[in-house]
Every structure is written in C-alpha cells, then in structure tokens.
Amino acid sequence: MANELFAQRLRDAMGRKGLKQVDIVNAAATRGVHLGKSHISQYVSGKTTPRPDIMGFLAQELQVDEQWLAGEEANAAPSGSPVPSGSSAPSESAPEPAAEPAPTSSPSVSPRVSSPVNPDPAPSKGTPMRRFGKSHKLDDVLYDVRGPVVDEATRMEQSGMHILKLNIGNPAPFGFRTPDEVIYDMAQQLTECEGYSASKGLFSARKAIMQYAQLKNLPNVGIEDIYTGNGVSELINLSMSALLDNGDEVLIPSPDYPLWTACVNLAGGTAVHYLCDEQSEWYPDIDDMRAKITDRTKAIVVINPNNPTGALYPKEVLQQIVDLAREHQLMIFSDEIYDRLVMDGLKHFSIASLAPDLFCVTFSGLSKSHMIAGYRVGWMVLSGNKNIAKDYIEGINMLTNMRICSNVPAQSIVQTALGGHQSVNDYIVPGGRIYEQREYIYNVLNAIPGVTAVKPKAAFYIFPKLDVKKFNIKDDEQFALDLLHDERILITRGGGFNWQHPDHFRIVYLPRIEVLKDATAKLTDFLSYYQQ
C-alpha cells in the first residue's frame, strides 16, 4: 500500500508541474543525483520506493513535502495545495486510503504475536517506523528484459488484453519443442536424481561437456575444469562474485546481454562498455576496447554469437581481442550460449581455442540449442593457463560448493543432448523455421520507412535502428511503452542492453511467420504516424 500511495502522489505531483519521467532523469543528472530511467519508471508504477536521498531529491524537484510524498503524513498536503480550513482530509489531487484498523487480539492472530506475556514492541508515539531499503549494491543493477515495460504488459494482460511478447528468447511459447529423446531419457533417470550431485555436477554430464569442449579446441581442459549451473546466468553471477573487488573493471560489449553488466556491478566491480560497430556488422571496435583498458581492468567479456545483435565474430576479430588481452594480461570470459545456432554455412570459433597461454572461462548450455530454457542447463569451462588463476579457481570452487549443486534431473540429459542427431540443425538451414523467420524479419524491417537493421548471422534476435529525427524519439523506454499501448506488442528497448542512444530495440523472431507478419504490419502502421 505504501508503494502505491507514493506512486500515486508522485504521478500527481509530476502532473501538476507538467513533468515527464525523462524530465526528472535530466534534472537528476544536472544535480549529480544517480537516477536512471528504469528507476523512475519503477517508482511511478509503484514497484518500489526510493532511498531517503532520492526521496529528498524528488520532493525538492517537485516542490512537495517529503513526508507527504513518501506517504508518511496522511494529513500533509503538497506545497501549493493547502488543506481546506477546518478539514483534516488531504487535497483531492492526493486521495488517501482509509486508515487501517488498530491491531486487536482476534483469535485469527498468531498467539506469539498477541501474547500479553511477550508483546511485540511498538515505537513510541511520534517515532517513525524503521524503513528497510534495498542494498546500495543494486543501485546500478538493471535488467530491462524483464523490467518496467514488462510490468506494464503484465498489468495489461491481467486486465484481459492479449500481448505479443517479442521481448525474451523463450522458445517454448512459440512451438519449439524439446527433442523426444531428451524428455524420455530424463524420465528414465528421475529416480536416480533425487539427491544432490557433486557440486560441479554429475560425472556423465561433465564428461560430455569436456568432450564437447575438446571438439571446440579449447586447450588444457580436464574433467575438473567443468562446472554445471542452473543456466549460464547463475554461473555468470558466480564467476564475477569470485573475481571482483570494489573498483575492479571489466570490459563488456555495448550492446550487451545486460546480466553481464548487472553481475559485475553487483559484485562491486565497474562495467566499462566497449562499442560494437553497427557499420561493421556489429563487430567489436578494437580501438575503443584498447582505449578503455586501465590498470584496474581485469577481464574482457565476449558475447559470441551476440545477443542482442545476432552478430557472429570471425576468427580474425577474435584473434585481435586475444592479442589485446595478452598484451595487457587480462582474463577472457566468453558467452557462447548460441554457438549451435549459426546460419549461412558459417562456423563458430571459440575464442579460448586461440588463447592457450591465457586464462579463459567459456559459457554455454542447452537452453537455446535444445529449446529447454526452463530446464536451466548451463555450464562453464576453465581453459588455458590455469596456473595464473589458482586463487581465483579456489574462489569459484568455494561458491560452487556453497550453492550445493545445480539441477540434477537437468544434468542427467546433458550426455543425451550433446550426442547423436542435433535437431537444432534442422531449424537453421533454408526451409528451417529459424532461418526463414530470420529472412522474413530482416527484409520486412528494412522495408519500413525510418527503420534499418543489420542481418543477424546467429541466435534468434535482431536489433533494428530507428531514425530518431523522423520519429522525434528521445526516450526509447517511452517508445516501447507507446508501442505496447497502441499495438499490444512487447519489445525490449536498446537501453536495456546498455546501448547509450534511444535509437534501437530488440525483436525476438521466434514466432512463426504468420505471427511475425501480423506483428510487423502493426509496427509498420504504428510508425506511419508515431511522433514522440
């Protein structure tokens, strides 16, 4: 209730002053206050309330009483809206809910709570209740793939509207099925998976992953270098937590998969974004990467194939990154979850195969290639020069032990999934679903006036560019919300991937072509009149 009351008062105060969310963000930047677009969106929607310092800034900027804005003073009114004489009610622009009744000793109340022998202490009259805020570690942690725009889509769904979700790479809702053999083998082994496994995972799963790593030419890999996880996401978090001290820097691509930036920041590090060049098929800008290395840089993150652009990096580009890491003695983290979703007859190269003298951590899994995102099957492989990372590996082992183990039934099908016929290959050739949907979405997007897109070579995402002058776009989150409200289509804004300009968005092209036709027809119509 407190969140909702604060959100209502915030919206009222902004409306009285004629301010949009972006105006608050710009004002915060001018005054050196850390407040991002996603933060203010969460406040306005009632998802969370700000820390006291941010609450103070908002009250000052909106010229309202801070306690009134926070919902702490029921009878206080915003400045400029005095309470009528002789009335204790708040102003009409800030309606108050009915006061909650005082607690009683009703039989429905737990005896431990209502017991007169040991009653819960209550603050003395006039003493404000202690408030519990979120950790400051979360100040720079955002994940807009499931952020404020998705919250709005959920609200719309709950009111009975149908939303086409093109925001997240979840194959199952679009008719991609798990191979029958995988489901059969898991069912056969369930009774053997009731207990914990070893912390790193089942021997059979790790052996299959080790052999797969050998086929990818990862150097110096043994069974002890394989770690299973509840998806790659868990392992990214674990690997950053084991590595980073406050202030350590990690180079991460822009655009990126935002979990990388979030996990670096959550671990106390600083995510430094190097540019990927749209004019060069979204390949990393090596000169920009080099310019951003400092004495605090510990590692380079490579996402190949790339999410959100669908780019596939050639061996020559990967070699330049290896040379740079070698020159500055940096670790390499390589996110390769889409390495089996490569089209056009191209080949995926693991960057670790080019760096036997460096320490590399390579991530992959079955969520995308085997259409089992909900099973949460991921892994990481340590390779190369492990002698220089003994202490770090000890930290990884400690965190791995602390989480006990990953999903054991899911581990049980790794060997099955990595062996035999790979059904994903049927999707990524001419006539296959992913290939044909890629062809369609690429062509139709580039036919829309004011939209251009680089053709993805892998995965199932495309990252189109909007002509911001044509559409007068200054806020990509607002663009996503407007598209959602007008056409019931949910996409993810470019800023959600740590892209610094409001001119891109990501589309997941997993739906069948007839669904994509309907969606792109609506997008074309929307952009025919849209002005922000």
Side-chain angles (χ1 to χ4, degrees):
M1 182 62 74
N3 284 10
E4 295 174 5
L5 181 57
F6 160 71
Q8 180 62 52
R9 290 180 170 183
L10 177 61
R11 292 193 297 267
D12 289 345
M14 289 171 62
R16 279 193 296 273
K17 293 189 68 67
L19 295 177
K20 298 180 179 178
Q21 294 181 29
V22 68
D23 298 323
I24 301 294
V25 173
N26 291 338
T30 300
R31 293 168 58 175
V33 175
H34 185 86
L35 182 64
K37 287 186 286 187
S38 290
H39 293 134
I40 191 69
S41 292
Q42 291 182 40
Y43 302 154
V44 167
S45 64
K47 296 299 179 183
T48 185
T49 55
R51 303 189 314 267
D53 56 328
I54 300 298
M55 186 72 79
F57 159 75
L58 291 171
Q60 187 174 4
E61 186 65 27
L62 296 170
Q63 297 180 319
V64 297
D65 180 79
E66 184 175 339
Q67 288 184 312
W68 173 84
L69 182 62
E72 294 177 357
E73 289 291 319
N75 296 329
S79 61
S81 301
V83 175
S85 176
S87 171
S88 61
S91 66
E92 288 184 5
S93 59
E96 283 284 341
E100 295 184 7
T104 67
S105 57
S106 165
S108 63
V109 179
S110 165
R112 191 170 69 90
V113 174
S114 60
S115 169
V117 178
N118 185 26
D120 286 339
S124 60
K125 187 175 182 181
T127 302
M129 290 289 290
R130 180 182 180 183
R131 299 173 68 89
F132 296 92
K134 68 180 181 181
S135 166
H136 287 284
K137 294 176 183 177
L138 293 169
D139 286 352
D140 295 312
V141 175
L142 300 173
Y143 189 73
D144 277 13
V145 175
R146 297 195 179 204
V149 181
V150 177
D151 293 337
E152 174 63 8
T154 301
R155 184 196 67 77
M156 292 169 66
E157 281 187 317
Q158 291 171 346
S159 69
M161 302 179 192
H162 173 71
I163 306 297
L164 176 58
K165 297 178 180 178
L166 303 180
N167 66 310
I168 193 165
N170 187 17
F174 301 107
F176 289 93
R177 309 315 310 169
T178 305
D180 290 343
E181 186 180 13
V182 169
I183 296 176
Y184 177 82
D185 283 16
M186 178 182 284
Q188 297 303 305
Q189 299 178 82
L190 275 178
T191 56
E192 302 170 16
C193 300
E194 295 172 345
Y196 298 132
S197 72
S199 295
K200 293 183 181 180
L202 294 171
F203 178 85
S204 63
R206 293 162 63 214
K207 185 71 171 182
I209 296 165
M210 184 190 78
Q211 291 170 336
Y212 182 75
Q214 291 170 345
L215 292 175
K216 300 284 288 187
N217 297 314
L218 271 62
N220 192 23
V221 174
I223 193 79
E224 291 305 312
D225 302 313
I226 311 296
Y227 298 75
T228 62
N230 295 300
V232 167
S233 301
E234 179 191 36
L235 296 170
I236 291 173
N237 192 13
L238 186 152
S239 63
M240 293 298 102
S241 296
L243 177 68
L244 299 175
D245 288 318
N246 291 342
D248 287 345
E249 296 175 357
V250 177
L251 294 181
I252 296 176
S254 174
D256 73 338
Y257 177 56
L259 186 73
W260 279 103
T261 295
C263 288
V264 167
N265 292 335
L266 188 59
T270 301
V272 178
H273 293 101
Y274 64 85
L275 293 177
C276 294
D277 184 3
E278 188 170 16
Q279 303 304 312
S280 299
E281 297 196 64
W282 288 112
Y283 296 163
D285 184 329
I286 303 300
D287 290 336
D288 187 64
M289 188 183 290
R290 179 181 291 107
K292 289 173 176 173
I293 295 174
T294 72
D295 57 0
R296 303 214 69 165
T297 307
K298 277 198 168 181
I300 299 173
V301 171
V302 177
I303 304 175
N304 177 44
N306 187 264
N307 176 8
T309 65
L312 178 71
Y313 303 155
K315 189 175 182 179
E316 295 75 16
V317 170
L318 297 174
Q319 186 63 60
Q320 292 181 67
I321 297 172
V322 168
D323 293 343
L324 196 60
R326 183 177 292 124
E327 178 185 349
H328 293 275
Q329 300 187 53
L330 303 176
M331 288 175 55
I332 295 175
F333 292 97
S334 186
D335 186 341
E336 301 179 2
I337 189 68
Y338 298 97
D339 68 341
R340 291 171 292 274
L341 285 158
V342 174
M343 291 172 274
D344 304 324
L346 299 172
K347 181 181 179 181
H348 176 267
F349 291 94
S350 287
I351 192 170
S353 67
L354 308 176
D357 57 320
L358 304 180
F359 180 67
C360 300
V361 184
T362 302
F363 301 82
S364 194
L366 303 179
S367 292
K368 313 299 183 178
S369 62
H370 287 71
M371 311 301 167
I372 51 175
Y375 286 22
R376 311 309 299 132
V377 190
W379 60 77
M380 67 180 181
V381 181
L382 314 185
S383 68
N385 186 357
K386 287 168 281 186
N387 288 328
I388 62 175
K390 287 182 177 179
D391 193 50
Y392 172 56
I393 294 172
E394 182 179 327
I396 288 178
N397 290 336
M398 181 183 298
L399 293 180
T400 301
N401 291 336
M402 286 168 59
R403 59 94 206 241
I404 308 295
C405 67
S406 65
N407 182 331
V408 181
Q411 290 182 52
S412 73
I413 51 87
V414 171
Q415 187 174 42
T416 296
L418 289 179
H421 174 67
Q422 300 294 296
S423 59
V424 69
N425 293 337
D426 301 332
Y427 294 129
I428 57 178
V429 294
R433 272 194 63 183
I434 292 177
Y435 180 93
E436 296 299 336
Q437 289 161 198
R438 187 275 305 259
E439 292 294 293
Y440 174 80
I441 198 72
Y442 168 71
N443 289 320
V444 75
L445 285 173
N446 280 289
I448 300 174
V451 179
T452 56
V454 176
K455 193 172 191 176
K457 301 297 191 297
F460 33 66
Y461 310 107
I462 192 166
F463 200 57
K465 182 177 182 178
L466 295 160
D467 184 336
V468 292
K469 291 184 178 179
K470 176 180 175 64
F471 303 115
N472 194 38
I473 296 174
K474 296 181 173 59
D475 184 339
D476 57 356
E477 185 173 275
Q478 189 61 52
F479 168 78
L481 282 168
D482 292 340
L483 178 61
L484 175 65
H485 289 148
D486 284 17
E487 302 294 347
R488 312 293 190 263
I489 295 173
L490 177 60
I491 51 91
T492 305
R493 67 187 185 99
F497 302 97
N498 291 293
W499 184 251
Q500 299 304 308
H501 308 287
D503 58 354
H504 282 78
F505 63 101
R506 189 187 74 171
I507 285 181
V508 176
Y509 56 85
L510 283 169
R512 292 187 182 277
I513 287 181
E514 54 267 28
V515 179
L516 291 176
K517 283 182 178 179
D518 180 58
T520 51
K522 290 178 178 178
L523 177 62
T524 301
D525 179 65
F526 174 76
L527 292 175
S528 70
Y529 64 79
Y530 183 70
Q531 285 287 299
Q532 196 170 93

